[in-house]
Amino acid sequence: TARGQQQVLNKVIIPVAGLGTRVLPASKAIPKEMLTVVDKPVIQHVVEEAITAGFTRIVLVTRSGKSAIEDHFDRNAELEQVLADKGKDTLLAAVRDILPTGVQVISVRQDEAKGLGHAVLCAAALTGDEDFAVMLPDMLIDPQGDQSDMQQMADAYRRSGKGQIMVEAVPEDQVERYGIVDCGGERPVSGQSAPMQDVVEKPSLADAPSNLAIVGRYILPGRIMELLKTTPRGAGNEIQLTDAIKALLQQGGALEAFTMSGVLYDCGNKSGLLMANVALGLKHPETAAELKGFIEGL
């Protein structure tokens, strides 16, 4: 769409209402998003990624039993006082500065689990007709350069004015696990975008238009909210975001697939969570040396 003025892109929706069945029993009493990677819960890594990319309104779509997430981003005056009294300034800063000034976390409730599309729709009153981002909290991306993929994707959106869907090439035997994008045979290189023609949810290898899989980061036009309101239930009897994206493309909406360059860890399953801890633990100044020594000694 030719918009005279560029939209302000400052809102990101993070759906955290999932049950976390793949990491049970760890997630029985703690939200899966609060499981740690090194010294921070997964959700904090993802929120920091959003903030670095310029987002200042973080909308959590949540449900009962998940208040620990909201508490994590709130002030804890008692803890801060204890740390201040003990002179533990570094720890005090780490706790106090979880959210920088000017960044706001807002929560909305998803009354029942009706899929990712429904979770996104729950935030419609907060986004209005603005363009917005969606970031899945299980997917942790370790950047490989100075700029994160989310930063680069937001830049691509600002240059083109078109929605961006982050993708990664996956092995052919895994295409049936993902939403796969069709760029008409074009293969955008890492850090680049290509026009999207279609998206196919969990295709068989024979039906897959490519091996470019959607990896849980989206910058979407505000119009997607209108489409979600009328999107029928799809796979798993849930309202799928992919179906609304497909409808947008069919109506002539312009979207681009952005190929990521970072390393992706799916912290929604046990192996991915462990791998993320090892990879980031080997980079963290407090843990790198000991962890490296331990691994080498195994």
Side-chain angles (χ1 to χ4, degrees), residues 163-214:
Q164 305 283 323
I165 311 285
M166 199 180 289
V167 296
E168 177 181 49
V170 296
E172 291 194 333
D173 60 354
Q174 291 180 20
V175 293
E176 63 206 23
R177 299 184 201 171
Y178 298 94
I180 301 291
V181 305
D182 181 355
C183 294
E186 197 178 333
R187 297 194 62 79
V189 295
S190 294
Q192 300 289 318
S193 299
M196 257 173 81
Q197 296 181 1
D198 195 9
V199 58
V200 189
E201 184 62 41
K202 298 183 175 156
S204 65
L205 182 54
D207 297 333
S210 72
N211 67 336
L212 295 173
I214 298 175

Side-chain angles (χ1 to χ4, degrees), residues 69-197:
I69 301 173
E70 291 154 88
D71 291 347
H72 183 72
F73 291 105
D74 204 349
R75 294 296 290 263
N76 183 333
E78 189 184 353
L79 174 63
E80 288 179 23
Q81 191 59 53
V82 169
L83 293 171
D85 292 347
K86 292 187 171 176
K88 300 198 170 180
D89 297 338
T90 313
L91 285 176
L92 177 60
V95 167
R96 185 181 278 157
D97 301 338
I98 282 173
L99 279 186
T101 313
V103 175
Q104 190 181 6
V105 169
I106 310 150
S107 292
V108 294
R109 288 282 181 110
Q110 182 181 20
D111 51 1
E112 55 176 314
K114 285 195 283 198
L116 176 58
H118 179 258
V120 170
L121 188 56
C122 288
L126 293 168
T127 59
D129 55 6
E130 290 174 45
D131 296 353
F132 60 91
V134 176
M135 296 173 72
L136 300 192
D138 309 352
M139 299 297 180
L140 194 152
I141 301 176
D142 187 16
Q144 293 306 288
D146 298 336
Q147 272 199 314
S148 75
D149 286 309
M150 199 67 198
Q151 270 176 292
Q152 293 177 57
M153 191 159 88
D155 289 344
Y157 160 83
R158 290 189 181 100
R159 281 196 304 271
S160 70
K162 292 173 183 167
Q164 305 283 323
I165 311 285
M166 199 180 289
V167 296
E168 177 181 49
V170 296
E172 291 194 333
D173 60 354
Q174 291 180 20
V175 293
E176 63 206 23
R177 299 184 201 171
Y178 298 94
I180 301 291
V181 305
D182 181 355
C183 294
E186 197 178 333
R187 297 194 62 79
V189 295
S190 294
Q192 300 289 318
S193 299
M196 257 173 81
Q197 296 181 1

